[in-house]
Amino acid sequence: RLSLPKKRTALIIMDVLVAVFLVVVAYYALNLIRVGRIQKSSVLRVPMSYMFSLMLVSPLLTALFFCESAYKRLRRSDGGA
């Protein structure tokens, strides 16, 4: 078992690493969005870039959540509110 300060540090590092991974996923989703401009869905006939844009927005919002979590843990470990 880890002591409380080490556990907080490990959780902060994990939050930051997950956020970085999600930003990388969102970055590579930009290529799919570019390709999706010329493709249309087979049934609805809408540009696939609309569908692929979810692969950009979702990871960015989740990364924001993990950054917020790391920030709150960091403030708590520093004795802040």
Side-chain angles (χ1 to χ4, degrees):
R1 292 184 60 108
L2 293 173
S3 65
L4 190 60
K6 287 183 182 180
K7 186 176 180 180
R8 282 185 181 156
T9 302
L11 288 172
I12 290 169
I13 291 171
M14 189 170 48
D15 284 343
V16 169
L17 287 177
V18 170
V20 167
F21 172 76
L22 289 168
V23 168
V24 170
V25 169
Y27 174 76
Y28 282 102
L30 291 173
N31 290 332
L32 287 174
I33 292 171
R34 286 187 198 109
V35 169
R37 281 191 216 149
I38 55 176
Q39 295 179 348
K40 296 215 184 265
S41 67
S42 59
V43 176
L44 297 176
R45 306 303 300 162
V46 295
M48 287 301 292
S49 60
Y50 295 165
M51 307 304 164
F52 292 147
S53 66
L54 295 174
M55 292 178 64
L56 174 69
V57 173
S58 298
L60 288 178
L61 290 176
T62 308
L64 186 63
F65 168 78
F66 278 101
C67 288
E68 177 189 21
S69 177
Y71 177 74
K72 285 181 179 178
R73 282 193 176 110
L74 189 63
R75 296 263 309 172
R76 223 177 299 141
S77 66
D78 288 342

